[in-house]
């Protein structure tokens, strides 16, 4: 995402890149960043907690005002849990990724059927890179 | 007990090496990033959202998990219950329960209604992160997404990786 942030910023669009992996944010070094020290897969909050999600985005968006130098990272004032013990187990359990397949990986069978019934050319929002 | 942020690059590299896998190479930029100053308050800005959590809308072709660097345009008025995820590398349980954890569409619609942001762009753009080829991102995905943001006439962009 850092490459996309840099590209858009260079083209004249101010960007804010969020992230829950501080070392990766530091490596890709985007123009503006907001770090949320949460379990991966929750970059903008916890599920079904709209007030928390709103508070997180408000703190993140504030970085558009408070960050004044390229490459700065705002640390957001939220913690995943009182105890940071969850961090010990992260990424220590072998490869949890799913096998790579070059066919669409639908969340549900109904999604697949819906697309196969449609003419893909007719789907206005199915924009795909060349 | 408080602990420092997780050192993902070190842990993932060790993890994959132990399994004999090719190492994922994160982009490592040394040069100072580009900078475009904001010229008006957020409350007057049109905001564009880009997210890499593999979000699609039912009816769209899902992402495949082998070097997919395509993207989808998600209309701003999408029904949250029509959002789906397809991604090979993160636990999608919570994202499938509530897409707002990686694709803050309800949150942004609310901030738009509250006047915190001026307006949410007509479309958000999504792809599946973890693309091994930085060349494809640099030469294809990044320029295309920038074009989309420009076509939507956004003033600022919020980027949400996983």
């Amino acid at each position: 995402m850092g490459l996309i942030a840099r590209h858009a910023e260079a083209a004249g669009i101010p960007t804010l890149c969020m992230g829950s992996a501080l070392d990766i944010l530091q490596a890709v070094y985007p123009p503006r960043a907001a770090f949320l020290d949460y379990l991966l897969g929750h970059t903008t909050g916890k599920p079904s907690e709209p007030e928390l999600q709103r508070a997180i985005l408000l703190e993140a968006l504030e970085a558009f005002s408070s960050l004044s130098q390229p490459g700065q990272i705002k640390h957001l004032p939220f913690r995943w849990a009182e105890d940071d013990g969850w961090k010990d187990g992260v990424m220590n359990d072998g490869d949890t990724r799913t096998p790579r397949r070059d066919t669409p990986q639908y969340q549900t069978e109904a999604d697949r059927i819906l697309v196969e019934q449609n003419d893909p050319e007719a789907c206005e929002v199915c924009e795909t890179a060349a | 007990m408080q602990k420092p942020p997780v050192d993902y690059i070190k842990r993932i590299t060790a993890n994959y090496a132990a399994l004999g896998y090719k190492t994922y190479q994160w982009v490592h930029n040394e040069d100072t990033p580009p900078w475009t100053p904001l010229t008006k308050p957020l409350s007057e800005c049109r905001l564009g959202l880009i997210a890499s959590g593999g979000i699609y809308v039912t009816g769209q072709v899902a992402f495949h998990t082998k070097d997919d660097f395509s993207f989808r345009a998600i209309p701003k008025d999408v029904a949250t219950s029509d959002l789906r995820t397809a991604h090979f590398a993160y636990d999608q349980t919570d994202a499938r329960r509530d897409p707002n954890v990686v694709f803050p569409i309800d949150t942004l619609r609310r901030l738009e209604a509250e006047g915190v942001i001026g307006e949410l762009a007509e479309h958000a753009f999504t792809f599946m992160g973890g693309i091994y080829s930085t060349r494809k991102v640099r030469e294809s995905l990044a320029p295309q997404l920038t074009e989309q943001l420009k076509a939507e006439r956004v003033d600022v962009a919020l980027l949400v990786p996983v």
Side-chain angles (χ1 to χ4, degrees):
Chain A
M1 198 61 103
L3 286 175
I4 294 161
R6 282 172 164 246
H7 196 280
E9 189 94 17
I13 301 168
T15 62
L16 174 67
C17 188
M18 294 185 68
S20 293
L22 184 60
D23 58 342
I24 296 172
L25 272 181
Q26 288 165 336
V28 300
Y29 199 13
R32 282 176 213 76
F35 167 61
L36 180 66
D37 199 1
Y38 267 22
L39 187 65
L40 291 195
H42 307 83
T43 322
T44 47
K46 295 182 180 181
S48 309
E49 294 197 30
E51 296 309 319
L52 175 66
Q53 293 166 1
R54 176 178 177 276
I56 288 169
L57 267 207
L58 281 176
E59 280 288 349
L61 291 172
E62 192 277 334
F64 273 117
S65 319
S66 60
L67 301 185
S68 56
Q69 298 287 325
Q72 289 179 326
I73 299 174
K74 176 176 176 175
H75 290 238
L76 304 182
F78 303 93
R79 294 176 66 194
W80 178 255
E82 292 270 305
D83 189 307
D84 275 346
W86 63 272
K87 293 181 180 178
D88 296 338
V90 169
M91 298 292 169
N92 285 335
D93 51 354
D95 191 359
T96 54
R97 298 174 300 178
T98 57
R100 302 293 202 118
R101 296 194 181 92
D102 58 7
T103 52
Q105 299 299 298
Y106 291 101
Q107 181 175 325
T108 67
E109 183 63 7
D111 289 352
R112 187 185 62 76
I113 292 166
L114 191 58
V115 169
E116 289 179 359
Q117 283 170 348
N118 284 343
D119 173 7
E121 301 298 318
C123 178
E124 285 177 21
V125 289
C126 301
E127 293 182 38
T128 304
Chain B
M1 192 187 154
Q2 218 156 343
K3 292 173 188 275
V6 176
D7 44 357
Y8 283 99
I9 295 177
K10 200 171 135 200
R11 285 198 202 181
I12 293 170
T13 303
N15 209 349
Y16 291 175
L19 295 162
Y21 293 166
K22 192 167 92 176
T23 309
Y24 184 87
Q25 292 292 333
W26 278 275
V27 172
H28 201 107
N29 287 307
E30 302 283 352
D31 58 318
T32 305
W35 184 258
T36 301
L38 218 69
T39 52
K40 52 185 173 183
L42 263 188
S43 58
E44 294 172 19
C45 286
R46 177 178 293 146
L47 182 142
L49 170 65
I50 297 181
S52 69
I55 302 286
Y56 68 97
V57 186
T58 184
Q60 291 183 330
V61 176
F63 295 96
H64 64 75
T65 49
K66 198 174 179 185
D67 304 318
D68 191 346
F69 61 105
S70 65
F71 66 89
R72 307 287 176 271
I74 315 273
K76 71 183 282 189
D77 60 355
V78 66
T80 311
S81 58
D82 284 343
L83 293 169
R84 307 282 187 268
T85 74
H87 203 295
F88 70 101
Y90 76 98
D91 183 345
Q92 297 161 87
T93 309
D94 283 345
R96 288 179 170 180
R97 191 179 301 159
D98 178 5
N100 287 290
V101 303
V102 291
F103 183 70
I105 187 74
D106 289 321
T107 322
L108 287 171
R109 288 192 286 223
R110 187 171 163 193
L111 295 182
E112 179 188 47
E114 291 175 0
V116 173
I117 57 172
E119 195 182 0
L120 188 56
E122 284 305 309
H123 296 91
F125 299 95
T126 59
F127 63 99
M128 191 193 71
I131 300 167
Y132 268 72
S133 168
T134 55
R135 189 182 58 80
K136 285 175 183 163
V137 177
R138 222 183 283 273
E139 294 177 7
S140 174
L141 185 58
Q144 288 189 80
L145 289 175
T146 299
E147 277 313 302
Q148 296 290 334
L149 292 175
K150 288 199 161 264
E152 300 261 337
R153 291 175 291 114
V154 310
D155 300 302
V156 292
L158 177 66
L159 311 186
V160 181
V162 168

